[in-house]
Amino acid sequence: MKTKSVRTTFNCQVCGYQSIKWLGRCPDCGEWNTMVEEKVVKDAGPGAVAMGLSSGDKPTAINEIALTEERRLSSGSTEMDRVLGGGLVSGSIVLIGGDPGIGKSTLLLQVLYHVGRGGARILYVSGEESVKQIRLRSERIGAVHPNMYIVTESSVEKIMNLFQDIKPDLLAVDSIQTLYTSEIGSAPGSVSQVRESAAKLMVLAKETGVPVILVGHVTKEGTLAGPRVLEHMVDAVLYFEGDRGHAFRILRTVKNRYGSTNEIGVFEMKDRGLMEVANPSEIFLAERPVEASGSVVVPCLEGTRPILVEVQALVSPAGFGLPRRTAIGVDPQRVSLLVAVLEKKVGLMLHDRDIYVNVAGGIRIDEPALDLGAVVAMASSFLDRTVDHKMVVFGEVGLAGEVRGVSQVDIRLAEAARLGFIRCLLSRNNLDQAREGQVISLTGVANLQEVLENIF
Ligand code: TYD
Ligand code: MG
């Protein structure tokens, strides 16, 4: 007879750290009050779900491992395929994370429809919406196809049975937080349930070669609810993000075992579902104010893709107390650093000013090339002088006030030229990387002093 020991552990709901006693603060991730007691039914015998893969074989020389051609299932969406690195790889698990209401289920439904239309059988398991609701939404966005099998279920064991019956070519689960496996005593949504359920689906995917798409919610702290452990297990993690007040949604790769992690997909939420945005720059610049101070355009790069964004700054006298520093769409720490550089190296007196920096359109940019844009926007607002409407700027700004070069100069310039810009201010070190015969007139600068002299 198998020995089964029942015990409880305390699991951190943020990072999955386990402890046998309760702790106020998780020693691993440092979060407070995240340890929750969960019952663990430990299966001492074989059959317990392993967290990784194990075949029991002997090690093989790497050149002797049989290569089966990597089969990719197109998701039917150029943007999604770009993010995935060319489509869904067979046997892979893809996790789509995002805030509630951002459009994950809509995106999933549209992808499933396209895959289904391509002839693949689909099993869509929802633990969140009734089949009627899903049908209604499908009708509204025009994503109904007889290859799509929909069921509401949250037991992993039952899902495995359904999987055997339907024999789908693609399995989708919305959301991983609603799943539970009867092998564990804790509630659905808890770290151990999410982890074990995902582990079972992972084994299923690897054994059958069927790709699995999981949807996961994000906590208010901005991480995938519960387990970062989940991110380690799956093959690709995509975040669906955007401001709910804006129609734009960005699908961003955080991890991808089968492709680049720099790619983004851009979508627009319309009344009939998500539309792909092939030319994001045009949209992000559509509402740019003409002849307003505190606004400048930066050609940024997301993966291989150039995107022009408008950086806005508002610098105004602060009231009492500490001045406010708010940054949206850029790293606030980075902005603080740039404010300090502007004060010390160029002598702009910003210490008693409220400073707001925003990237228009609700997109988030994590790229050093944006530094120069933030600096120019802040200086423009502070001095109340406008920046040439036909000019773009890009470059990293260092602590000594130097303007450093960035990569992929040509791609940025080409995109700026395509959208009708005629001047560009960039690092002097980048000048020789710019191709001969640029249609944009280039001004190379070495430090912030020169930047301000050139612009204002
Ligand atoms: P949903 O996919 O349900 O979000 P999630 O699964 O991430 O929680 O999207 C919900 C939002 O999307 C909802 O607020 C309404 C909006 N929406 C549209 O604007 N147009 C549409 O065609 C659909 C289906 C949803
Ligand atoms: Mg949903």
mmCIF file with all atom_site columns, all heavy atoms in Angstrom, residues 40-65:
data_model
loop_
_atom_site.group_PDB
_atom_site.id
_atom_site.type_symbol
_atom_site.label_atom_id
_atom_site.label_alt_id
_atom_site.label_comp_id
_atom_site.label_asym_id
_atom_site.label_entity_id
_atom_site.label_seq_id
_atom_site.pdbx_PDB_ins_code
_atom_site.Cartn_x
_atom_site.Cartn_y
_atom_site.Cartn_z
_atom_site.occupancy
_atom_site.B_iso_or_equiv
_atom_site.pdbx_formal_charge
_atom_site.auth_seq_id
_atom_site.auth_comp_id
_atom_site.auth_asym_id
_atom_site.auth_atom_id
_atom_site.pdbx_PDB_model_num
ATOM 1   N N   . VAL A 1 40 ? -1.010 19.766 2.012   1.00 0.00 ? 40 VAL A N   1
ATOM 2   C CA  . VAL A 1 40 ? -0.322 19.036 0.956   1.00 0.00 ? 40 VAL A CA  1
ATOM 3   C C   . VAL A 1 40 ? -0.562 17.554 1.158   1.00 0.00 ? 40 VAL A C   1
ATOM 4   O O   . VAL A 1 40 ? -0.263 17.016 2.209   1.00 0.00 ? 40 VAL A O   1
ATOM 5   C CB  . VAL A 1 40 ? 1.204  19.288 1.005   1.00 0.00 ? 40 VAL A CB  1
ATOM 6   C CG1 . VAL A 1 40 ? 1.895  18.536 -0.114  1.00 0.00 ? 40 VAL A CG1 1
ATOM 7   C CG2 . VAL A 1 40 ? 1.488  20.763 0.927   1.00 0.00 ? 40 VAL A CG2 1
ATOM 8   N N   . VAL A 1 41 ? -1.159 16.907 0.161   1.00 0.00 ? 41 VAL A N   1
ATOM 9   C CA  . VAL A 1 41 ? -1.265 15.456 0.235   1.00 0.00 ? 41 VAL A CA  1
ATOM 10  C C   . VAL A 1 41 ? -0.095 14.931 -0.554  1.00 0.00 ? 41 VAL A C   1
ATOM 11  O O   . VAL A 1 41 ? -0.068 14.996 -1.775  1.00 0.00 ? 41 VAL A O   1
ATOM 12  C CB  . VAL A 1 41 ? -2.593 14.964 -0.355  1.00 0.00 ? 41 VAL A CB  1
ATOM 13  C CG1 . VAL A 1 41 ? -2.677 13.461 -0.239  1.00 0.00 ? 41 VAL A CG1 1
ATOM 14  C CG2 . VAL A 1 41 ? -3.744 15.617 0.354   1.00 0.00 ? 41 VAL A CG2 1
ATOM 15  N N   . LYS A 1 42 ? 0.870  14.464 0.176   1.00 0.00 ? 42 LYS A N   1
ATOM 16  C CA  . LYS A 1 42 ? 2.085  14.086 -0.522  1.00 0.00 ? 42 LYS A CA  1
ATOM 17  C C   . LYS A 1 42 ? 2.018  12.635 -0.937  1.00 0.00 ? 42 LYS A C   1
ATOM 18  O O   . LYS A 1 42 ? 1.849  11.742 -0.131  1.00 0.00 ? 42 LYS A O   1
ATOM 19  C CB  . LYS A 1 42 ? 3.297  14.333 0.371   1.00 0.00 ? 42 LYS A CB  1
ATOM 20  C CG  . LYS A 1 42 ? 4.545  14.266 -0.455  1.00 0.00 ? 42 LYS A CG  1
ATOM 21  C CD  . LYS A 1 42 ? 5.540  15.305 -0.027  1.00 0.00 ? 42 LYS A CD  1
ATOM 22  C CE  . LYS A 1 42 ? 6.578  15.392 -1.120  1.00 0.00 ? 42 LYS A CE  1
ATOM 23  N NZ  . LYS A 1 42 ? 7.841  15.799 -0.695  1.00 0.00 ? 42 LYS A NZ  1
ATOM 24  N N   . ASP A 1 43 ? 2.133  12.446 -2.221  1.00 0.00 ? 43 ASP A N   1
ATOM 25  C CA  . ASP A 1 43 ? 2.136  11.102 -2.752  1.00 0.00 ? 43 ASP A CA  1
ATOM 26  C C   . ASP A 1 43 ? 3.577  10.596 -2.732  1.00 0.00 ? 43 ASP A C   1
ATOM 27  O O   . ASP A 1 43 ? 4.416  11.044 -3.487  1.00 0.00 ? 43 ASP A O   1
ATOM 28  C CB  . ASP A 1 43 ? 1.611  11.135 -4.189  1.00 0.00 ? 43 ASP A CB  1
ATOM 29  C CG  . ASP A 1 43 ? 1.220  9.750  -4.660  1.00 0.00 ? 43 ASP A CG  1
ATOM 30  O OD1 . ASP A 1 43 ? 1.650  8.772  -4.043  1.00 0.00 ? 43 ASP A OD1 1
ATOM 31  O OD2 . ASP A 1 43 ? 0.494  9.670  -5.643  1.00 0.00 ? 43 ASP A OD2 1
ATOM 32  N N   . ALA A 1 44 ? 3.850  9.685  -1.785  1.00 0.00 ? 44 ALA A N   1
ATOM 33  C CA  . ALA A 1 44 ? 5.236  9.280  -1.605  1.00 0.00 ? 44 ALA A CA  1
ATOM 34  C C   . ALA A 1 44 ? 5.734  8.373  -2.721  1.00 0.00 ? 44 ALA A C   1
ATOM 35  O O   . ALA A 1 44 ? 6.910  8.301  -2.988  1.00 0.00 ? 44 ALA A O   1
ATOM 36  C CB  . ALA A 1 44 ? 5.399  8.576  -0.264  1.00 0.00 ? 44 ALA A CB  1
ATOM 37  N N   . GLY A 1 45 ? 4.814  7.714  -3.382  1.00 0.00 ? 45 GLY A N   1
ATOM 38  C CA  . GLY A 1 45 ? 5.233  6.775  -4.417  1.00 0.00 ? 45 GLY A CA  1
ATOM 39  C C   . GLY A 1 45 ? 5.476  7.449  -5.745  1.00 0.00 ? 45 GLY A C   1
ATOM 40  O O   . GLY A 1 45 ? 5.382  8.662  -5.862  1.00 0.00 ? 45 GLY A O   1
ATOM 41  N N   . PRO A 1 46 ? 5.798  6.675  -6.780  1.00 0.00 ? 46 PRO A N   1
ATOM 42  C CA  . PRO A 1 46 ? 5.946  7.267  -8.092  1.00 0.00 ? 46 PRO A CA  1
ATOM 43  C C   . PRO A 1 46 ? 4.586  7.760  -8.565  1.00 0.00 ? 46 PRO A C   1
ATOM 44  O O   . PRO A 1 46 ? 3.565  7.356  -8.039  1.00 0.00 ? 46 PRO A O   1
ATOM 45  C CB  . PRO A 1 46 ? 6.452  6.111  -8.944  1.00 0.00 ? 46 PRO A CB  1
ATOM 46  C CG  . PRO A 1 46 ? 6.079  4.873  -8.206  1.00 0.00 ? 46 PRO A CG  1
ATOM 47  C CD  . PRO A 1 46 ? 5.995  5.225  -6.769  1.00 0.00 ? 46 PRO A CD  1
ATOM 48  N N   . GLY A 1 47 ? 4.569  8.617  -9.524  1.00 0.00 ? 47 GLY A N   1
ATOM 49  C CA  . GLY A 1 47 ? 3.289  9.126  -9.998  1.00 0.00 ? 47 GLY A CA  1
ATOM 50  C C   . GLY A 1 47 ? 3.093  10.561 -9.561  1.00 0.00 ? 47 GLY A C   1
ATOM 51  O O   . GLY A 1 47 ? 2.239  11.258 -10.068 1.00 0.00 ? 47 GLY A O   1
ATOM 52  N N   . ALA A 1 48 ? 3.900  11.008 -8.593  1.00 0.00 ? 48 ALA A N   1
ATOM 53  C CA  . ALA A 1 48 ? 3.820  12.406 -8.228  1.00 0.00 ? 48 ALA A CA  1
ATOM 54  C C   . ALA A 1 48 ? 4.291  13.215 -9.427  1.00 0.00 ? 48 ALA A C   1
ATOM 55  O O   . ALA A 1 48 ? 5.186  12.806 -10.146 1.00 0.00 ? 48 ALA A O   1
ATOM 56  C CB  . ALA A 1 48 ? 4.721  12.683 -7.031  1.00 0.00 ? 48 ALA A CB  1
ATOM 57  N N   . VAL A 1 49 ? 3.658  14.358 -9.646  1.00 0.00 ? 49 VAL A N   1
ATOM 58  C CA  . VAL A 1 49 ? 4.009  15.139 -10.823 1.00 0.00 ? 49 VAL A CA  1
ATOM 59  C C   . VAL A 1 49 ? 5.379  15.776 -10.633 1.00 0.00 ? 49 VAL A C   1
ATOM 60  O O   . VAL A 1 49 ? 5.623  16.469 -9.670  1.00 0.00 ? 49 VAL A O   1
ATOM 61  C CB  . VAL A 1 49 ? 2.956  16.230 -11.068 1.00 0.00 ? 49 VAL A CB  1
ATOM 62  C CG1 . VAL A 1 49 ? 3.369  17.080 -12.252 1.00 0.00 ? 49 VAL A CG1 1
ATOM 63  C CG2 . VAL A 1 49 ? 1.612  15.601 -11.311 1.00 0.00 ? 49 VAL A CG2 1
ATOM 64  N N   . ALA A 1 50 ? 6.250  15.498 -11.567 1.00 0.00 ? 50 ALA A N   1
ATOM 65  C CA  . ALA A 1 50 ? 7.577  16.096 -11.483 1.00 0.00 ? 50 ALA A CA  1
ATOM 66  C C   . ALA A 1 50 ? 7.506  17.532 -11.988 1.00 0.00 ? 50 ALA A C   1
ATOM 67  O O   . ALA A 1 50 ? 6.703  17.855 -12.838 1.00 0.00 ? 50 ALA A O   1
ATOM 68  C CB  . ALA A 1 50 ? 8.541  15.291 -12.349 1.00 0.00 ? 50 ALA A CB  1
ATOM 69  N N   . MET A 1 51 ? 8.348  18.386 -11.438 1.00 0.00 ? 51 MET A N   1
ATOM 70  C CA  . MET A 1 51 ? 8.326  19.772 -11.869 1.00 0.00 ? 51 MET A CA  1
ATOM 71  C C   . MET A 1 51 ? 9.042  19.954 -13.205 1.00 0.00 ? 51 MET A C   1
ATOM 72  O O   . MET A 1 51 ? 8.848  20.915 -13.908 1.00 0.00 ? 51 MET A O   1
ATOM 73  C CB  . MET A 1 51 ? 8.989  20.671 -10.829 1.00 0.00 ? 51 MET A CB  1
ATOM 74  C CG  . MET A 1 51 ? 8.232  20.760 -9.535  1.00 0.00 ? 51 MET A CG  1
ATOM 75  S SD  . MET A 1 51 ? 6.497  21.084 -9.790  1.00 0.00 ? 51 MET A SD  1
ATOM 76  C CE  . MET A 1 51 ? 6.607  22.714 -10.435 1.00 0.00 ? 51 MET A CE  1
ATOM 77  N N   . GLY A 1 52 ? 9.906  19.029 -13.530 1.00 0.00 ? 52 GLY A N   1
ATOM 78  C CA  . GLY A 1 52 ? 10.619 19.161 -14.794 1.00 0.00 ? 52 GLY A CA  1
ATOM 79  C C   . GLY A 1 52 ? 10.343 17.951 -15.659 1.00 0.00 ? 52 GLY A C   1
ATOM 80  O O   . GLY A 1 52 ? 9.462  17.165 -15.371 1.00 0.00 ? 52 GLY A O   1
ATOM 81  N N   . LEU A 1 53 ? 11.104 17.815 -16.696 1.00 0.00 ? 53 LEU A N   1
ATOM 82  C CA  . LEU A 1 53 ? 10.939 16.676 -17.574 1.00 0.00 ? 53 LEU A CA  1
ATOM 83  C C   . LEU A 1 53 ? 11.882 15.579 -17.122 1.00 0.00 ? 53 LEU A C   1
ATOM 84  O O   . LEU A 1 53 ? 12.996 15.848 -16.709 1.00 0.00 ? 53 LEU A O   1
ATOM 85  C CB  . LEU A 1 53 ? 11.299 17.055 -18.999 1.00 0.00 ? 53 LEU A CB  1
ATOM 86  C CG  . LEU A 1 53 ? 10.449 18.152 -19.626 1.00 0.00 ? 53 LEU A CG  1
ATOM 87  C CD1 . LEU A 1 53 ? 11.042 18.550 -20.947 1.00 0.00 ? 53 LEU A CD1 1
ATOM 88  C CD2 . LEU A 1 53 ? 9.034  17.668 -19.783 1.00 0.00 ? 53 LEU A CD2 1
ATOM 89  N N   . SER A 1 54 ? 11.445 14.330 -17.190 1.00 0.00 ? 54 SER A N   1
ATOM 90  C CA  . SER A 1 54 ? 12.399 13.266 -16.939 1.00 0.00 ? 54 SER A CA  1
ATOM 91  C C   . SER A 1 54 ? 12.002 12.070 -17.777 1.00 0.00 ? 54 SER A C   1
ATOM 92  O O   . SER A 1 54 ? 10.870 11.612 -17.747 1.00 0.00 ? 54 SER A O   1
ATOM 93  C CB  . SER A 1 54 ? 12.441 12.929 -15.446 1.00 0.00 ? 54 SER A CB  1
ATOM 94  O OG  . SER A 1 54 ? 11.482 11.986 -15.135 1.00 0.00 ? 54 SER A OG  1
ATOM 95  N N   . SER A 1 55 ? 12.940 11.614 -18.591 1.00 0.00 ? 55 SER A N   1
ATOM 96  C CA  . SER A 1 55 ? 12.617 10.532 -19.513 1.00 0.00 ? 55 SER A CA  1
ATOM 97  C C   . SER A 1 55 ? 13.161 9.201  -19.027 1.00 0.00 ? 55 SER A C   1
ATOM 98  O O   . SER A 1 55 ? 12.756 8.157  -19.493 1.00 0.00 ? 55 SER A O   1
ATOM 99  C CB  . SER A 1 55 ? 13.213 10.850 -20.891 1.00 0.00 ? 55 SER A CB  1
ATOM 100 O OG  . SER A 1 55 ? 14.614 10.944 -20.773 1.00 0.00 ? 55 SER A OG  1
ATOM 101 N N   . GLY A 1 56 ? 14.110 9.248  -18.071 1.00 0.00 ? 56 GLY A N   1
ATOM 102 C CA  . GLY A 1 56 ? 14.693 8.018  -17.570 1.00 0.00 ? 56 GLY A CA  1
ATOM 103 C C   . GLY A 1 56 ? 15.731 7.420  -18.503 1.00 0.00 ? 56 GLY A C   1
ATOM 104 O O   . GLY A 1 56 ? 16.254 6.335  -18.256 1.00 0.00 ? 56 GLY A O   1
ATOM 105 N N   . ASP A 1 57 ? 16.023 8.132  -19.599 1.00 0.00 ? 57 ASP A N   1
ATOM 106 C CA  . ASP A 1 57 ? 17.005 7.605  -20.546 1.00 0.00 ? 57 ASP A CA  1
ATOM 107 C C   . ASP A 1 57 ? 18.428 7.936  -20.108 1.00 0.00 ? 57 ASP A C   1
ATOM 108 O O   . ASP A 1 57 ? 18.651 8.742  -19.238 1.00 0.00 ? 57 ASP A O   1
ATOM 109 C CB  . ASP A 1 57 ? 16.790 8.228  -21.938 1.00 0.00 ? 57 ASP A CB  1
ATOM 110 C CG  . ASP A 1 57 ? 15.456 7.806  -22.521 1.00 0.00 ? 57 ASP A CG  1
ATOM 111 O OD1 . ASP A 1 57 ? 14.900 6.822  -22.010 1.00 0.00 ? 57 ASP A OD1 1
ATOM 112 O OD2 . ASP A 1 57 ? 14.996 8.476  -23.452 1.00 0.00 ? 57 ASP A OD2 1
ATOM 113 N N   . LYS A 1 58 ? 19.370 7.301  -20.804 1.00 0.00 ? 58 LYS A N   1
ATOM 114 C CA  . LYS A 1 58 ? 20.780 7.641  -20.586 1.00 0.00 ? 58 LYS A CA  1
ATOM 115 C C   . LYS A 1 58 ? 21.096 8.927  -21.339 1.00 0.00 ? 58 LYS A C   1
ATOM 116 O O   . LYS A 1 58 ? 20.446 9.252  -22.327 1.00 0.00 ? 58 LYS A O   1
ATOM 117 C CB  . LYS A 1 58 ? 21.660 6.514  -21.139 1.00 0.00 ? 58 LYS A CB  1
ATOM 118 C CG  . LYS A 1 58 ? 21.756 5.308  -20.229 1.00 0.00 ? 58 LYS A CG  1
ATOM 119 C CD  . LYS A 1 58 ? 23.091 4.608  -20.497 1.00 0.00 ? 58 LYS A CD  1
ATOM 120 C CE  . LYS A 1 58 ? 23.010 3.107  -20.374 1.00 0.00 ? 58 LYS A CE  1
ATOM 121 N NZ  . LYS A 1 58 ? 22.303 2.396  -21.426 1.00 0.00 ? 58 LYS A NZ  1
ATOM 122 N N   . PRO A 1 59 ? 22.108 9.678  -20.909 1.00 0.00 ? 59 PRO A N   1
ATOM 123 C CA  . PRO A 1 59 ? 22.488 10.879 -21.654 1.00 0.00 ? 59 PRO A CA  1
ATOM 124 C C   . PRO A 1 59 ? 22.938 10.515 -23.068 1.00 0.00 ? 59 PRO A C   1
ATOM 125 O O   . PRO A 1 59 ? 23.542 9.465  -23.285 1.00 0.00 ? 59 PRO A O   1
ATOM 126 C CB  . PRO A 1 59 ? 23.665 11.445 -20.864 1.00 0.00 ? 59 PRO A CB  1
ATOM 127 C CG  . PRO A 1 59 ? 23.540 10.850 -19.509 1.00 0.00 ? 59 PRO A CG  1
ATOM 128 C CD  . PRO A 1 59 ? 22.899 9.516  -19.681 1.00 0.00 ? 59 PRO A CD  1
ATOM 129 N N   . THR A 1 60 ? 22.617 11.401 -24.024 1.00 0.00 ? 60 THR A N   1
ATOM 130 C CA  . THR A 1 60 ? 22.962 11.179 -25.429 1.00 0.00 ? 60 THR A CA  1
ATOM 131 C C   . THR A 1 60 ? 23.906 12.277 -25.879 1.00 0.00 ? 60 THR A C   1
ATOM 132 O O   . THR A 1 60 ? 23.767 13.415 -25.446 1.00 0.00 ? 60 THR A O   1
ATOM 133 C CB  . THR A 1 60 ? 21.694 11.264 -26.308 1.00 0.00 ? 60 THR A CB  1
ATOM 134 O OG1 . THR A 1 60 ? 20.651 10.575 -25.626 1.00 0.00 ? 60 THR A OG1 1
ATOM 135 C CG2 . THR A 1 60 ? 21.905 10.651 -27.665 1.00 0.00 ? 60 THR A CG2 1
ATOM 136 N N   . ALA A 1 61 ? 24.838 11.957 -26.751 1.00 0.00 ? 61 ALA A N   1
ATOM 137 C CA  . ALA A 1 61 ? 25.697 12.995 -27.321 1.00 0.00 ? 61 ALA A CA  1
ATOM 138 C C   . ALA A 1 61 ? 24.816 13.958 -28.102 1.00 0.00 ? 61 ALA A C   1
ATOM 139 O O   . ALA A 1 61 ? 23.901 13.528 -28.799 1.00 0.00 ? 61 ALA A O   1
ATOM 140 C CB  . ALA A 1 61 ? 26.736 12.377 -28.245 1.00 0.00 ? 61 ALA A CB  1
ATOM 141 N N   . ILE A 1 62 ? 25.103 15.243 -27.970 1.00 0.00 ? 62 ILE A N   1
ATOM 142 C CA  . ILE A 1 62 ? 24.168 16.244 -28.493 1.00 0.00 ? 62 ILE A CA  1
ATOM 143 C C   . ILE A 1 62 ? 23.973 16.120 -30.001 1.00 0.00 ? 62 ILE A C   1
ATOM 144 O O   . ILE A 1 62 ? 22.865 16.343 -30.516 1.00 0.00 ? 62 ILE A O   1
ATOM 145 C CB  . ILE A 1 62 ? 24.627 17.668 -28.104 1.00 0.00 ? 62 ILE A CB  1
ATOM 146 C CG1 . ILE A 1 62 ? 23.549 18.708 -28.465 1.00 0.00 ? 62 ILE A CG1 1
ATOM 147 C CG2 . ILE A 1 62 ? 25.957 18.054 -28.753 1.00 0.00 ? 62 ILE A CG2 1
ATOM 148 C CD1 . ILE A 1 62 ? 23.716 20.032 -27.788 1.00 0.00 ? 62 ILE A CD1 1
ATOM 149 N N   . ASN A 1 63 ? 25.014 15.706 -30.716 1.00 0.00 ? 63 ASN A N   1
ATOM 150 C CA  . ASN A 1 63 ? 24.877 15.605 -32.171 1.00 0.00 ? 63 ASN A CA  1
ATOM 151 C C   . ASN A 1 63 ? 24.124 14.359 -32.600 1.00 0.00 ? 63 ASN A C   1
ATOM 152 O O   . ASN A 1 63 ? 23.789 14.176 -33.754 1.00 0.00 ? 63 ASN A O   1
ATOM 153 C CB  . ASN A 1 63 ? 26.260 15.663 -32.839 1.00 0.00 ? 63 ASN A CB  1
ATOM 154 C CG  . ASN A 1 63 ? 27.187 14.590 -32.298 1.00 0.00 ? 63 ASN A CG  1
ATOM 155 O OD1 . ASN A 1 63 ? 26.999 14.105 -31.175 1.00 0.00 ? 63 ASN A OD1 1
ATOM 156 N ND2 . ASN A 1 63 ? 28.161 14.194 -33.079 1.00 0.00 ? 63 ASN A ND2 1
ATOM 157 N N   . GLU A 1 64 ? 23.872 13.463 -31.638 1.00 0.00 ? 64 GLU A N   1
ATOM 158 C CA  . GLU A 1 64 ? 23.155 12.234 -31.999 1.00 0.00 ? 64 GLU A CA  1
ATOM 159 C C   . GLU A 1 64 ? 21.668 12.296 -31.668 1.00 0.00 ? 64 GLU A C   1
ATOM 160 O O   . GLU A 1 64 ? 20.924 11.358 -31.932 1.00 0.00 ? 64 GLU A O   1
ATOM 161 C CB  . GLU A 1 64 ? 23.794 11.040 -31.285 1.00 0.00 ? 64 GLU A CB  1
ATOM 162 C CG  . GLU A 1 64 ? 25.083 10.598 -31.977 1.00 0.00 ? 64 GLU A CG  1
ATOM 163 C CD  . GLU A 1 64 ? 25.901 9.660  -31.107 1.00 0.00 ? 64 GLU A CD  1
ATOM 164 O OE1 . GLU A 1 64 ? 25.321 9.066  -30.178 1.00 0.00 ? 64 GLU A OE1 1
ATOM 165 O OE2 . GLU A 1 64 ? 27.112 9.541  -31.361 1.00 0.00 ? 64 GLU A OE2 1
ATOM 166 N N   . ILE A 1 65 ? 21.265 13.402 -31.049 1.00 0.00 ? 65 ILE A N   1
ATOM 167 C CA  . ILE A 1 65 ? 19.851 13.517 -30.711 1.00 0.00 ? 65 ILE A CA  1
ATOM 168 C C   . ILE A 1 65 ? 19.056 13.725 -31.984 1.00 0.00 ? 65 ILE A C   1
ATOM 169 O O   . ILE A 1 65 ? 19.390 14.588 -32.797 1.00 0.00 ? 65 ILE A O   1
ATOM 170 C CB  . ILE A 1 65 ? 19.622 14.697 -29.740 1.00 0.00 ? 65 ILE A CB  1
ATOM 171 C CG1 . ILE A 1 65 ? 20.360 14.419 -28.429 1.00 0.00 ? 65 ILE A CG1 1
ATOM 172 C CG2 . ILE A 1 65 ? 18.137 14.907 -29.480 1.00 0.00 ? 65 ILE A CG2 1
ATOM 173 C CD1 . ILE A 1 65 ? 20.405 15.573 -27.480 1.00 0.00 ? 65 ILE A CD1 1
#
